[in-house]
Amino acid sequence: MINIIFSEEYKNHDTGNHPESIERIKVVNNLIKEEYLKHNLIEPNIADKKIISLVHDIEYVNKIYDSIPNSGFTYFDPDTIASPNSLKSYLLAVGGSVDAVNYILDNNNNGVFFCAHRPPGHHAECNKAMGFGVFNNVAASAQYALNSGKFKKILIVDFDVHHGNGTQNIFKNNPDVYYASSHQFPFYPGTGSFDEVGVGNIFNCPLPSECDSSSFRSLFRKNIVDKIDTKFDLIYFSAGFDAHKLDPLASINLDDDDFYWVTKIILEKFANNVPIISVLEGGYDMEGLYHGLHNHLKALVEYSDE
Ligand SMILES: [Zn+2]
């Protein structure tokens, strides 16, 4: 049994004719309703400014609150769009990611959580909206978990096709949070080379354009799984499905079951009876998103049933 934090509210974050669209969350919610209704479904709570400012400058947070339009769209950058109801989605996406930590703390358990949120957060910097995201959902949740004192070492695994520059920058000087990312390179946002190592806590796995399933698996194993030899007491996935071969935004050619494989190999090596929090990032082909996520969730369900 896994816990799925999701809300119909994400359908109100209107981005117009943009790949990070309302359609995405409809597809995700359909998958949940078709395949995962017997799991524990939880509505997210809204994060307050104190939570968001764990990883974002308060001036930036205030600026975002003040920039939400009464009608039409505001552009934080050419790709990052707000409409009148967007703020609630931003706050629920952070809030739900933090709810997972509170649930684990309150129940003293090793639960498995999937946060079906939008927009994605891994590009959001401490003082800058970027790449469809305004607040960094995973980073806020991980910092909150660390501050609780219950977790000493946290691993964030990001298999979205884009490098999570925001998450890396927020934690690159923090030896208690490891960030491991596979991503097309060179590609947006430009970061994610081998030589970005932080304080020994950053593990980048650049993937060449047109990388297929077998190359992905051997590169991921070599640069992430085999390189990290640390015990963690909480594991996050920044779960993006835009490395799928159908995705229109990138040119990595993963199959549906690569998302099962990448989840499984991380859980088998690093997750020894520890809680897991997976947070939705990208994925812009609706079929690729549905089947990639279904495969990721299958591996999470198997881990939770062990
Ligand atoms: Zn992405």
Side-chain angles (χ1 to χ4, degrees):
M1 167 92 74
I2 62 170
N3 304 282
I4 299 178
I5 304 183
F6 87 124
S7 170
E8 300 293 335
E9 179 65 32
Y10 296 116
K11 292 178 184 166
N12 297 324
H13 169 42
D14 182 11
T15 53
N17 184 24
H18 187 279
E20 204 295 284
S21 66
I22 292 168
E23 287 310 307
R24 298 184 65 239
I25 209 68
K26 288 185 184 167
V27 164
V28 170
N29 287 359
N30 284 345
L31 171 63
I32 292 165
K33 287 171 191 164
E34 285 163 23
E35 303 284 348
Y36 294 92
L37 274 186
K38 69 175 195 308
H39 293 272
N40 190 26
L41 305 184
I42 304 169
E43 280 279 332
N45 291 298
I46 279 183
D48 60 19
K49 285 186 180 178
K50 198 172 146 207
I51 295 281
I52 297 165
S53 59
L54 289 173
V55 293
H56 293 284
D57 293 346
I58 190 63
E59 297 78 21
Y60 167 74
V61 177
N62 287 333
K63 191 188 89 184
I64 295 293
Y65 274 67
D66 295 342
S67 305
I68 302 300
N70 292 320
S71 63
F73 296 112
T74 291
Y75 289 81
F76 296 118
D77 80 1
D79 268 330
T80 311
I81 303 169
S83 54
N85 296 313
S86 295
L87 184 62
K88 193 162 181 200
S89 281
Y90 303 159
L91 302 182
L92 286 170
V94 177
S97 307
V98 167
D99 287 345
V101 177
N102 280 327
Y103 191 92
I104 293 162
L105 293 171
D106 291 349
N107 295 286
N108 195 26
N109 79 358
N110 295 325
V112 177
F113 292 80
F114 176 68
C115 304
H117 298 164
R118 67 182 279 266
H122 70 156
H123 295 302
E125 300 272 4
C126 66
N127 58 3
K128 194 160 118 190
M130 251 183 91
F132 320 162
V134 170
F135 299 134
N136 197 313
N137 309 316
V138 165
S141 177
Q143 188 62 55
Y144 182 83
L146 213 53
N147 291 3
S148 76
K150 168 92 196 287
F151 307 101
K152 305 287 181 225
K153 281 273 189 227
I154 295 175
L155 172 64
I156 300 170
V157 176
D158 184 340
F159 57 77
D160 187 282
V161 82
H162 303 95
H163 182 244
N165 55 290
T167 311
Q168 176 174 294
N169 281 331
I170 287 166
F171 292 120
K172 68 182 179 189
N173 296 316
N174 187 339
D176 298 329
V177 181
Y178 279 41
Y179 175 72
S181 172
S182 59
H183 44 271
Q184 188 172 334
F185 186 87
F187 197 51
Y188 182 88
T191 50
S193 67
F194 275 127
D195 54 9
E196 296 161 30
V197 296
V199 288
N201 61 331
I202 305 294
F203 295 83
N204 282 313
C205 175
L207 306 171
S209 175
E210 304 304 334
C211 180
D212 65 6
S213 173
S214 71
S215 306
F216 166 74
R217 291 185 186 201
S218 73
L219 288 167
F220 191 91
R221 194 189 288 273
K222 179 174 152 215
N223 294 308
I224 292 178
V225 179
D226 292 348
K227 261 196 193 167
I228 302 175
D229 207 8
T230 303
K231 284 201 173 359
F232 301 97
D233 41 25
L234 174 61
I235 296 174
Y236 284 86
F237 288 99
S238 254
F241 300 91
D242 40 8
H244 193 282
K245 62 187 175 189
L246 295 174
D247 200 275
L249 263 56
S251 23
I252 299 297
N253 297 318
L254 298 196
D255 296 316
D256 296 341
D257 65 357
D258 288 314
F259 296 97
Y260 176 85
W261 179 88
V262 73
T263 309
K264 196 84 179 166
I265 197 166
I266 289 296
L267 295 175
E268 279 175 355
K269 171 146 185 192
F270 300 106
N272 184 15
N273 209 21
V274 301
I276 310 293
I277 302 174
S278 174
V279 180
L280 182 64
E281 300 284 359
Y284 306 99
D285 175 82
M286 297 310 132
E287 207 182 313
L289 175 59
Y290 185 98
H291 293 290
L293 175 57
H294 195 7
N295 273 268
H296 174 60
L297 293 178
K298 270 189 223 166
L300 293 183
V301 169
E302 285 177 14
Y303 173 76
S304 77
D305 289 345
E306 274 170 13

